[in-house]
Amino acid sequence: MDNNKNNKTRALFRLLPIIAAGAGAGFINGLLGSGGGIVLIFAYSFIVKKKRSSKDNFATSLAVMTPVSAVSAIMYYLKAGADFSGAGKFCIAVVIGGIIGAYLADRIKSSTLTAVFAAVTCIAGLNMLFK
Amino acid sequence: MIIADIAAALAVGILSGMGVGGGGLLVVYLTVIRNMPQIHAQGINLIFFICASVSALSIHLKKRKIDVKLAITLSAAGIIGSFPGTFLARILPGEVTSKIFGIVLLLSGIITLYRLHLKKKRISDAHKKR
């Protein structure tokens, strides 16, 4: 009887970090319209015991954040009056861009580009903070 | 204007296809250059993200191993967590959300640069040991 209780408590303790990570990612994604994937990838080292490849983690975070973003998008449309009228051209462009990007990924060294991108992100962040 | 939009979306799509990242910059483009209100820009970014991830998952990530049980748990938790998030996005003024967005961008940029620096250091230390 006691053993059963202990097992259930242990299972709950293992579940809590996962729920916290998912809820945190969903919260940030809902608040900012982006960023949930980053939270998840950061949280993986704390919630997953077996070390998995970063590409698997990346794929999982995409898979998780897609329905979460869909729900948020619906809420934005219904409750926040968000205007999606321009979205179509963005969707087509991003799919084409993604195909090009995946093609380039094997051919261009990513660390320089990542550094440039991170620097641009910092500048953009400062811009939004102080505008 | 439309050409600029498509060029921006293409650029962000390429960057996220390469795994370098991108959604945050689309919001920056829409709010800073196109003067779109923060909430609309974020909404379009959500749609953008869904398109990008569906295409990425179906084209070049379909061979990846995804822990389905974990993914479903995380998704469920994520959906529940999203409600307070979207609620705040709705009631907070755009200027406030935009500043929070700026802080998160700044932090993520700094963390990325720091991690790159650590990686470089690890590689150069390994070379020295030889």
Side-chain angles (χ1 to χ4, degrees), chain B residues 82-96:
Chain B
S82 74
F83 288 117
T86 53
F87 177 72
L88 275 182
R90 177 167 39 119
I91 62 170
L92 286 175
E95 300 81 37
V96 176

Side-chain angles (χ1 to χ4, degrees), chain A residues 77-121:
Chain A
Y77 181 72
L78 290 176
K79 295 279 191 169
D83 177 18
F84 292 150
S85 57
K89 53 180 181 280
F90 290 111
C91 290
I92 299 172
V94 75
V95 171
I96 296 175
I99 296 172
I100 299 174
Y103 174 79
L104 289 175
D106 301 320
R107 286 161 182 79
I108 293 185
K109 189 169 186 218
S110 68
S111 58
T112 319
L113 192 59
T114 309
V116 170
F117 179 78
V120 171
T121 303

